[in-house]
Amino acid sequence: SPSTTVVGIRKAKHLLRRSCFHYNKTTLDYFSGLTPTQALDELIQEPNVFWEHPYDWKPDNNGIIDDFWLHTPNTTPADFPNGQGRKRGIVYGWWWYNSLKQNSLKHKLIFFLHTTFTVSKDNGVGKSSYFYDYLRLLDFYAYGNLKTLAKKITFDNAMLNYLDNTTNNKNNPNENYAREFLELFTILKGPQISDGDYTNYTEEDIQKTAKVFSGIKIKPLRDTLDPDTGIPMGFINTFQHDSDPKTFSNAFGGTTIAGGSTESDIHNEVENYIDMVFTQPETAKAYCRKLYRFFV
């Protein structure tokens, strides 16, 4: 029995506090005269104020200004005398400033996705350009599909650097990203049954997941673009990918994911794996709980 009357001042305040970062009296007065359906239709519109690119105005000791450094041909840290930590701060401030300028659910959803597929701008994310591309990726999928984003974030340069998957090779596995992907990003652990068995997955599933994600590397020059988003992404080193089939535990129905040896086959392998994880009801419940806790 959904409400069809106007929300009024009190409920409009409540709605705007939950759904965006900032509002003024004009916005509050406007929303208070809308029905819930009309208010939601307003909030989910694509923002009409387009983001301007971050700009670094501070000269170094030689008087050099990096200005729009994210869009120069060579973006290695050595080329920017003002340092990557400072520039990551500029990117963060740029995102926050633009979020405050608009009353849109999209920016709260971007922040929700950041709390779901987390990186830290100062502890391991790498170059400022990686952090910039990471935020753009969350923006692209804020109104999109979580399962698709789970695949795209696996190839994101910031995530590859932050959780060390760029060092994950078939003969020298690194399970850091694989563990976080299951424990924090998607299905979550569930009650522990026994040593190495967490209900929703097992330690062996983590090891197999690392093999699925092996060989995905950072692309420092940002010249590999995702065909769907146009945003720079990492690349696949086929020689460092484990091409054997991976059979998962009973938590995933004993599913076997065929290994890939070509770039396209490895993309399909990753996609098939993520489909398997997202087929589980516990993955859906995990996201519903996160959304409820975050917004309600």
Side-chain angles (χ1 to χ4, degrees):
S1 181
S3 173
T4 57
T5 59
V6 297
V7 296
I9 291 289
R10 184 180 66 84
K11 290 182 180 178
K13 281 183 179 180
H14 179 74
L15 175 64
L16 291 169
R17 279 197 300 267
R18 297 296 174 96
S19 58
C20 52
F21 290 110
H22 176 265
Y23 62 90
N24 56 31
K25 188 175 186 304
T26 301
T27 305
L28 177 61
D29 290 342
Y30 175 67
F31 271 83
S32 66
L34 302 177
T35 67
T37 299
Q38 291 170 334
L40 186 60
D41 287 343
E42 285 282 337
L43 286 168
I44 64 175
Q45 287 186 33
E46 189 72 25
N48 56 13
V49 179
F50 295 101
W51 291 3
E52 296 179 3
H53 296 153
Y55 182 89
D56 191 355
W57 56 272
K58 186 177 180 181
D60 70 350
N61 294 332
N62 298 315
I64 298 173
I65 296 176
D66 292 333
D67 53 69
F68 296 107
W69 81 97
L70 291 163
H71 303 284
T72 55
N74 191 344
T75 58
T76 59
D79 294 324
F80 300 123
N82 289 327
Q84 291 297 296
R86 180 175 179 277
K87 285 177 163 58
R88 286 193 300 270
I90 292 172
V91 171
Y92 164 76
W94 159 84
W95 182 85
W96 181 238
Y97 172 74
N98 283 287
S99 299
L100 289 179
K101 283 171 63 179
Q102 304 173 61
N103 299 110
S104 171
L105 179 61
K106 188 174 191 181
H107 298 107
K108 262 292 173 71
L109 284 168
I110 293 170
F111 189 74
F112 169 77
L113 292 174
H114 166 64
T115 67
T116 303
F117 300 99
T118 305
V119 302
S120 170
K121 76 175 180 66
D122 291 324
N123 295 295
V125 74
K127 294 194 300 181
S128 54
S129 54
Y130 298 167
F131 187 51
Y132 172 71
D133 293 333
Y134 163 81
L135 290 174
R136 291 170 63 211
L137 185 64
L138 299 186
D139 176 79
F140 191 94
Y141 285 104
Y143 289 154
N145 186 290
L146 271 170
K147 183 169 70 172
T148 305
L149 176 59
K151 180 185 178 185
K152 301 295 186 182
I153 207 78
T154 300
F155 289 85
D156 176 71
N157 282 314
M159 186 64 75
L160 285 165
N161 196 76
Y162 181 61
L163 289 179
D164 309 314
N165 202 65
T166 192
T167 67
N168 178 21
N169 305 318
K170 64 179 181 181
N171 295 323
N172 187 24
N174 186 311
E175 298 173 4
N176 198 17
Y177 178 66
R179 183 175 300 277
E180 303 290 49
F181 188 86
L182 292 172
E183 183 175 343
L184 297 178
F185 294 176
T186 56
I187 197 170
L188 311 186
K189 292 174 77 169
Q192 183 163 340
I193 297 174
S194 60
D195 188 28
D197 186 346
Y198 312 114
T199 302
N200 295 340
Y201 60 87
T202 67
E203 280 293 319
E204 188 176 349
D205 290 327
I206 292 173
Q207 296 165 14
K208 298 293 176 63
T209 299
K211 292 180 179 181
V212 171
F213 293 151
S214 61
I216 305 174
K217 305 295 178 185
I218 287 172
K219 194 67 184 295
L221 290 181
R222 298 168 69 224
D223 54 358
T224 298
L225 302 182
D226 182 273
D228 299 318
T229 66
I231 297 170
M233 60 181 287
F235 74 102
I236 295 172
N237 184 326
T238 57
F239 299 105
Q240 294 185 4
H241 178 75
D242 188 315
S243 59
D244 292 336
K246 292 89 178 172
T247 300
F248 291 84
S249 72
N250 289 333
F252 296 102
T255 300
T256 297
I257 303 293
S261 55
T262 67
E263 188 172 334
S264 62
D265 286 345
I266 294 168
H267 273 286
N268 288 335
E269 179 183 347
V270 172
E271 193 163 322
N272 291 335
Y273 166 79
I274 290 173
D275 281 345
M276 178 190 74
V277 173
F278 274 77
T279 299
Q280 308 306 311
E282 288 303 321
T283 303
K285 291 178 184 178
Y287 283 121
C288 288
R289 292 182 183 118
K290 284 181 178 181
L291 281 163
Y292 184 85
R293 288 167 180 157
F294 186 85
F295 284 102
V296 180

